[in-house]
Each structure stands twice: as C-alpha cells, then as structure tokens.
Amino acid sequence: MFKGADLLRVKGIVNLAGHAAPVVVHGVQHVFHPPVELERWPSDDRRTRMVFITRDIDPEELRGTLALMTMGLSNVGLQGLIERVADGMPA
C-alpha cells in the first residue's frame, strides 16, 4: 500500500504449511495476481524463494517487513534467504 509504486516486481515460489505443492506468487506494483498452486515441486528443494525488484526501497526495510510477515514460520525456511542483488552479483 505504501510502497506499491516502488515495488516494480515480485515473484516467487512459496512453501506454505499444509500444501504439498508450491504456491507461485507474482505481482507488479499494486497489482498482484491470484496465487497458483503447482501440481508438484520442480526439484527436491522445498525452500521458499522470492525475487523483489524495487526502486528506492531500503533492503533493511524490506527485510524487516518480511520478518514481520514470517514470524513463527521458521518451518518454511524463508528467514535468512533474502539477498540484495546489484549488477547481477549477491551483496
């Protein structure tokens, strides 16, 4: 709501409790498509992975927001997987 214009794109494959298959999320600015549950995982790796393409959003602010949303969800493996990528290289 507050940063939608600066949230250029979000996409990810998410491991949700109670779902055997991954859920795909995709959004551009203020518009998010309904999540889609895939038939199966593409590999044995079941970790959540999300990509954020942003403009003028501080990486620590994004990490803090994600931490608030994932409190108590350590079983999905999202914590600690956030990286800032600049010029194609992890920071």
Side-chain angles (χ1 to χ4, degrees):
M1 183 168 100
F2 299 109
K3 296 284 191 175
D6 294 323
L7 188 59
L8 304 178
R9 184 166 185 199
V10 175
K11 63 181 182 175
I13 185 168
V14 181
N15 185 347
L16 293 177
H19 291 261
V23 175
V24 175
V25 295
H26 174 74
V28 178
Q29 294 186 320
H30 292 286
V31 178
F32 276 77
H33 299 278
V36 174
E37 186 169 357
L38 299 179
E39 290 183 23
R40 64 186 173 280
W41 283 91
S43 72
D44 290 335
D45 189 348
R46 303 291 193 261
R47 292 177 293 169
T48 292
R49 288 187 171 77
M50 296 188 76
V51 175
F52 296 85
I53 301 172
T54 65
R55 173 184 53 216
D56 298 326
I57 294 179
D58 179 69
E60 291 306 316
E61 183 180 5
L62 180 57
R63 283 185 186 95
T65 300
L66 290 171
L68 286 173
M69 294 186 325
T70 60
M71 291 177 121
L73 298 179
S74 59
N75 61 330
V76 296
L78 181 61
Q79 293 77 6
L81 296 178
I82 305 163
E83 295 181 350
R84 180 178 179 190
V85 178
D87 301 321
M89 301 297 294

